[in-house]
Amino acid sequence: MVAESGGPEDQKPQSDEARSAFAPPAGTSQPATPPEEDHPTSEFALPTGVHQDQGGPAASGGGSAGGTHAETLSSAFTPPSTYKAQQSPPAFTPAQGIPMVRLTKEAPWQDRMRTMLRMPVTERPAAESIQRTDDDTGPAVPRVLDLTLRIGELLLAGGEGAEDVEAAMFAVTRSYGLDRSEPTVTFTLLSISHQPSLVDDPVTASRTVRRRGTDYTRLAAVFRLVDDITSTDTEISLEEAYRRLAEIRRNRHPYPGWVLTAAAGLLAGSASVLVGGGFLVFVVAAAGAMLGDRLAWLCAGRGLPEFYQFTVAAMPPAAMGVALTLTHSTDIRPSAVITGGLFALLPGRALVAGVQDGLTGYYITASARLLEVMYFFIGIVAGVLIILYLGVQLGAQLNPEAEFIPNDRPALQILVSMTLSLAFAVLLQQERSTVLAVTLNGGVAWIVFGAMARTGGISPVAATAVAAGLVGLFGQLFSRYRFTSSLPYITAAIGPLLPGSATYFGLLGVAQNEVNRGLTSLSTAVATALAIAIGVNLGSEISRLFMGVPGAVGGASRRAAKRTRGF
């Protein structure tokens, strides 16, 4: 029924607020259908008059004969309609075809994922296998992305390089069927985006890394989890992967606190003997390092930033060296005591990771890591300079011209270099099965450095770069054999090569107003540190040159970085 017009309500004039400014005036005729601009459509919609093919993709999910489909609301955890449990959806195929990459156990997943990360999306080969799920609907995309971010968080917080973190994240998503995914890693932020197809909306998730800790045992456990997820020999559901990841997080450190403090003292004492000290110097340097370690832990418990922790930790070894100088003892080398304490504090791990990120094209992460190294180094400098300045004011006769005993005790120095690497491995919370390998690697590094710099007369910086290159080469080979990260085999082995003596003499020169001499020595320390980082990365890259990617045409290896020759 249509109500008749003409009532008192209809004849009442309307105010300006009662009608829209776009309403047509009274008495004008209206078109039967609104113009096309009033009904915007998607760019993927079919034009008027075109009928959908019944066998096309739009009709494959069910629908009416005319090609119309009813849209149903679904949860965010519902898998995309293009996914099946046993077969991944067909992706875009380029004209030249898609290369086949077999996920064989002989090829570490790091190599495969590094290669595919630098391929365009259209050239990446489709995954050969997918981890099974509990039902036949395929994986839930948000849960896979969340698991991937949690794994990447543990790797990045443990000190892993940005390229290896991206490779691990990419491997996890591909193993669960998410082929079109793009991980992104910066110093504190992880993000990943997945787009099921060109017409579907992308799903993006991110996670912030707020806490960092050095625990290579946990790092190795995460690598084993990723290796099992990417392996065709094992079937790991999402629930099983979450359970194993929770166990990795709950696991306690392999060494108690007192062992770590003793390892810090052993590292400092070994370093003092390495630069010419005797048994008494070893004891004093160890005591100073252990006292500094305990003070640093006290500051950490109070919530002070790491800058102040490094500053406080550097003071006790320097104070003991100055105290020995004030006793005018000729049998003790105070410079060796202070240098040993510096060896235990220099951030070699963060330096290597920062330079490695820069050399592999991750410049934002590299800049952040190197800035962190600079702050740590400034903290060490501040702590040592305060004590040295006080010692100079008290009349301590610190001799910047002192020379360490170079090569009269080669056997003892090789032994203490291996002991230094052993103590460094314990401080890094490494697995007990890797301690022996990294100890031998550190001894080889010192033998090469001593043969080139002390016996051959080659520049110490060049000798350090060669020795660090061998450390990186052997570490990469060890990691390929064990299918794990290379950091546990590399970081502790570079301990004997750290520029502790150059840093000490540079700081001493600045404290005694010998600025030019101090800056020269500090520049040598910086050059040595960069030689260590570049040498380690070069050794790792050399190991990859002789091992081609499985399934690649002509044995081609990983592609170049994001920028090549500056273009």
Side-chain angles (χ1 to χ4, degrees):
M1 295 294 292
V2 179
E4 295 181 357
S5 61
E9 298 292 337
D10 297 332
Q11 296 178 358
K12 187 180 297 183
Q14 295 181 347
S15 61
D16 292 340
E17 293 82 1
R19 62 173 181 267
S20 172
F22 298 97
T28 59
S29 59
Q30 284 291 103
T33 58
E36 184 180 0
E37 289 75 8
D38 292 344
H39 295 275
T41 60
S42 171
E43 57 180 308
F44 301 103
L46 293 175
T48 305
V50 177
H51 298 284
Q52 177 69 36
D53 187 8
Q54 294 295 326
S60 60
S64 62
T68 60
H69 301 275
E71 297 182 357
T72 59
L73 297 176
S74 59
S75 171
F77 294 93
T78 302
S81 59
T82 56
Y83 277 93
K84 297 181 181 179
Q86 304 298 331
Q87 183 180 3
S88 60
F92 172 74
T93 304
Q96 66 273 17
I98 298 178
M100 175 61 69
V101 175
R102 296 189 177 276
L103 306 182
T104 57
K105 191 66 176 177
E106 290 75 14
W109 57 265
Q110 297 97 317
D111 293 341
R112 305 192 303 270
M113 298 306 136
R114 286 191 191 104
T115 302
M116 284 186 281
L117 274 175
R118 292 182 176 178
M119 288 183 179
V121 177
T122 57
E123 297 181 9
R124 290 175 181 172
E128 192 177 63
S129 64
I130 300 176
Q131 289 288 344
R132 295 182 181 178
T133 53
D134 296 335
D135 50 19
D136 294 333
T137 59
V141 174
R143 293 197 66 198
V144 173
L145 298 185
D146 179 70
L147 173 67
T148 303
L149 289 173
R150 291 178 183 273
I151 291 176
E153 178 190 10
L154 286 181
L155 293 177
L156 188 62
E160 193 63 63
E163 185 181 31
D164 291 328
V165 175
E166 281 195 2
M169 296 171 64
F170 191 64
V172 173
T173 55
R174 285 180 61 86
S175 298
Y176 285 105
L178 307 186
D179 300 335
R180 304 175 63 89
S181 60
E182 288 294 338
T184 303
V185 176
T186 58
F187 187 59
T188 57
L189 182 64
L190 299 169
S191 63
I192 187 168
S193 178
H194 168 68
Q195 188 174 14
S197 64
L198 294 176
V199 296
D200 290 331
D201 295 333
V203 180
T204 303
S206 61
R207 193 172 183 88
T208 302
V209 179
R210 303 188 184 278
R211 293 181 60 88
R212 299 177 183 273
T214 304
D215 189 345
Y216 282 177
T217 300
R218 178 180 295 176
L219 189 68
V222 177
F223 263 78
R224 282 193 295 268
L225 174 61
V226 177
D227 185 58
D228 291 340
I229 291 176
T230 57
S231 175
T232 58
D233 300 333
T234 58
E235 296 178 3
I236 300 180
S237 63
L238 282 173
E239 287 72 18
E240 176 67 16
Y242 268 109
R243 184 189 64 80
R244 290 184 55 179
L245 193 62
E247 290 179 354
I248 293 173
R249 286 181 175 274
R250 287 195 300 265
N251 283 344
R252 303 183 64 181
H253 298 303
Y255 308 103
W258 67 270
V259 174
L260 298 181
T261 301
L266 180 61
L267 192 155
S270 301
S272 65
V273 176
L274 193 65
V275 295
F279 176 75
L280 187 57
V281 170
F282 175 90
V283 174
V284 175
M290 287 189 291
L291 179 59
D293 181 76
R294 287 293 90 192
L295 290 176
W297 278 107
L298 179 62
C299 294
R302 298 291 182 179
L304 290 178
E306 284 186 301
F307 175 86
Y308 301 105
Q309 297 176 29
F310 274 85
T311 302
V312 171
M315 288 183 175
M320 289 191 174
V322 171
L324 291 176
T325 303
L326 293 176
T327 60
H328 303 285
S329 176
T330 58
D331 298 331
I332 300 178
R333 301 175 62 88
S335 57
V337 174
I338 301 176
T339 301
L342 292 176
F343 265 88
L345 297 176
L346 292 178
R349 173 182 58 87
L351 176 65
V352 171
V355 175
Q356 180 180 357
D357 287 341
L359 295 177
T360 52
Y362 296 85
Y363 301 113
I364 297 178
T365 308
S367 301
R369 289 187 189 272
L370 293 178
L371 185 62
E372 181 188 39
V373 171
M374 185 189 72
Y375 273 105
F376 291 164
F377 187 76
I378 292 176
I380 298 171
V381 168
V384 175
L385 277 181
I386 290 174
I387 301 300
L388 291 181
Y389 180 77
L390 292 177
V392 171
Q393 298 301 316
L394 293 175
Q397 299 297 324
L398 297 170
N399 185 13
E401 301 291 342
E403 295 182 358
F404 294 134
I405 302 175
N407 55 4
D408 59 341
R409 303 179 300 177
L412 179 61
Q413 289 182 333
I414 293 173
L415 179 62
V416 296
S417 67
M418 297 175 64
T419 306
L420 190 153
S421 299
L422 173 64
F424 206 170
V426 174
L427 283 176
L428 295 174
Q429 303 277 2
Q430 291 190 196
E431 292 180 304
R432 292 176 175 86
S433 59
T434 64
V435 171
L436 178 60
V438 74
T439 301
L440 296 176
N441 204 7
V444 171
W446 181 258
I447 291 173
V448 173
F449 172 79
M452 295 182 64
R454 304 289 175 82
T455 304
I458 301 176
S459 169
V461 176
T464 301
V466 174
L470 288 178
V471 168
L473 177 62
F474 292 152
Q476 195 65 232
L477 294 177
F478 280 131
S479 67
R480 286 170 179 269
Y481 176 74
R482 298 291 298 273
F483 292 97
T484 184
S485 172
S486 61
L487 289 181
Y489 302 97
I490 291 177
T491 307
I494 64 173
L497 304 176
L498 293 175
S501 58
T503 303
Y504 162 69
F505 285 122
L507 298 180
L508 181 59
V510 173
Q512 293 183 338
N513 291 327
E514 298 286 342
V515 179
N516 293 332
R517 179 180 299 166
L519 293 179
T520 301
S521 185
L522 287 177
S523 63
T524 303
V526 172
T528 304
L530 292 178
I532 293 174
I534 295 174
V536 167
N537 180 263
L538 182 60
S540 301
E541 295 295 335
I542 289 175
S543 68
R544 298 190 184 108
L545 292 179
F546 303 100
M547 300 181 184
V549 177
V553 179
S557 59
R558 181 183 60 167
R559 294 193 174 191
K562 295 178 178 63
R563 294 178 61 191
T564 303
R565 296 186 296 278
F567 299 106

